[in-house]
């Protein structure tokens, strides 16, 4: 829930000063990073998204004694980002230059 609010606040803050590039970044943030992160969160139920940054970097919280899932989550996230970017390109959808394919993930 907290991650959803953080994401919504980030997107609404940029809505007023929207440019084609910022709209594309927001679209990619949701389509690529958010979707990949949520799918991995549903797979690794001991890790929870607390924040998603514009470059795809994540902050996660971990249940007690659950850091063992961190490596699996990282691979899941990075593979999910890569697959979504490839899907967008294959469908002729734009992808911003310099898109981060291996965003940082911080686990608290």
């Amino acid at each position: 829930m907290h991650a959803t609010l953080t994401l919504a606040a980030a997107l609404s803050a940029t809505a007023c000063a929207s440019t084609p590039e910022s709209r594309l970044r927001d679209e990619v943030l949701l389509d690529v990073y958010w979707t990949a992160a949520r799918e991995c969160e549903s797979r690794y139920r001991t890790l929870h998204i607390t924040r998603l940054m514009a470059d795809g970097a994540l902050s996660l919280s971990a249940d007690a004694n659950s850091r063992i899932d961190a490596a699996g989550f990282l691979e899941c996230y990075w593979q999910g980002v890569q697959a979504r970017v490839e899907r967008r390109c294959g469908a002729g959808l734009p992808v911003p230059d310099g898109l981060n394919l291996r965003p940082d993930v911080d686990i608290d």
Side-chain angles (χ1 to χ4, degrees):
M1 176 73 162
H2 183 266
T4 304
L5 295 175
T6 302
L7 180 62
L11 291 176
S12 66
T14 61
C16 295
S18 185
T19 65
E21 182 66 22
S22 67
R23 283 191 296 277
L24 176 58
R25 289 210 177 269
D26 290 348
E27 179 182 324
V28 168
L29 181 68
L30 289 173
D31 182 37
V32 173
Y33 297 130
W34 180 249
T35 304
R38 292 292 293 174
E39 285 180 7
C40 296
E41 183 182 41
S42 71
R43 257 177 154 178
Y44 297 92
R45 296 183 180 266
T46 61
L47 299 171
H48 313 285
I49 302 166
T50 56
R51 186 164 187 203
L52 171 63
M53 278 61 92
D55 67 350
L58 289 174
S59 290
L60 304 174
S61 64
D63 293 349
N65 299 319
S66 64
R67 290 185 182 260
I68 195 164
D69 288 338
F73 186 98
L74 282 172
E75 279 306 308
C76 175
Y77 184 50
W78 292 336
Q79 288 175 1
V81 167
Q82 181 69 42
R84 278 167 187 71
V85 168
E86 289 172 4
R87 214 172 295 142
R88 285 183 67 86
C89 290
L93 296 171
V95 175
D97 292 334
L99 186 73
N100 189 359
L101 297 177
R102 292 180 67 93
D104 291 334
V105 177
D106 179 46
I107 303 174
D108 293 326

